[in-house]
Amino acid sequence: MAGACRFAVKSGGHMAQAGAANIQDGVTIDLRNLNQSTVSTDRSTVTLGPGLRWGQVYSMLAAYDLAVPGGRSAQVGVGGYLLGGGSSYFIDHGFGCDNVVAYEIVLASGAVLNVTAEAHEDLFQGLKGGSSNFGIVTSFTLRTFGLKGIWGGNIFYQAEPTVDQQLRAFHEFSGNNGYDVNAAVQMSISFSPGFGKVFVNQPFYALPQVNPAALHPFTNIQPQLGNQTALNNLTAFAIANGALSPDGARQMTWALSFENDLRTLRALYAAFNASVASIAHVAGISWSLTLEPIPKAFLRASARLGGNMLGVPTNPRGNSLVLCDSSFTWTNENDTAVVRSAGLKLLADISKSARQLRTLTRWVDVNHADYTQDPIASYGSANQAFLQDLSRRYDPTQVFQRAVPGGFKVGSKRR
């Protein structure tokens, strides 16, 4: 590999790590023109190019009254989302990658493979969470399902008067044994100098039904600063969600997961609250944690669809899981060290509390991981070893381990 050209591969560029989808002193392979989409004759599958954004996919499928499990924000790219696993609003369909039935991939050798559960089945499994470690995927074929309309939107609250209501609602909703698989929610805890500390909940229902009972734990919380819920379509919903994260700022993300536990949620909020003082002076700061339930129904759906490489426990001591990811944005490069230090301390504080409460789980979402984290190792030693062997088999000269410095590698942390 001495003297080899270093390169990066870009689908949507959603990962908030410098070099993940671009490169200094190298070549960026931008997949934006691989934006094809084809619905099968029987409408049971759709083939998507990696250059598409999820907003485009939802808009195209709406003409057929169809959908697929994809990114929550319209601007997220298809490629990285699916290769990293991909959680979505559709609980009964598991991770996005669980719904892929075929890949077209270009290997480092130049060979083009069509990968399915019957052809190159080892690579088929490895691509379900193995990220960009094996080649450049040039198309994904996914199962579709019917969708004629949805209900949901953002609800805004001041944090302090509603904290106890918020955390109890999230805990009870996530752990409900009679979980309604049409219901989903994201809960964001945010700080900005202009608004102070707020909760932003985003209830979602996969049927055109106004304020369904399953989501009353959130819609009944008072007082509310604003309520944007409405009957809607998936495209508009994803556009509205993406508008909460506008382009143009510097950003830090990280991810962790833990068992659904009210003590852990309270410790998380206390750590968030304590962290605000260290970044409140930073120009343009937006300081946010997002909590996403991973209910047992979601885990069962993932297993039913064939599973993946993520190593997410399918029955974590009988509890559901919570995925927590951060989004810290700011304006000036000179503030980067301060924000990163505070962000990593917050991650460490939440992890310590969850570890002490014995609720921390190993899974780190690769799509939101910080470069100090090792999401591939979080899949478990057996899955990591499988991915390492797969890399040697399909990329014997290790082009995607050595010539592509960005992203997360199967053998070690991001280089």
Side-chain angles (χ1 to χ4, degrees), residues 5-8 23-28:
C5 175
R6 286 155 50 99
F7 65 99
I23 192 167
Q24 185 74 27
D25 300 322
V27 174
T28 296

Side-chain angles (χ1 to χ4, degrees), residues 38 48 57 59 105 112 167 267 269 288 314:
T38 306
L48 304 173
V57 174
S59 179
I105 185 171
V112 179
L167 300 182
Y269 181 80
S288 179
T314 55

Side-chain angles (χ1 to χ4, degrees), residues 6 46 81 85 110 116 161 176 203 239 244 249 262 282 291 317 332 337 373 396 403 410:
R6 286 155 50 99
V46 61
Y81 169 91
T116 68
N176 188 341
I239 290 171
L244 296 175
L262 188 56
V282 172
L291 304 177
R317 296 198 303 181
N332 298 325
Q373 297 182 284
V410 296

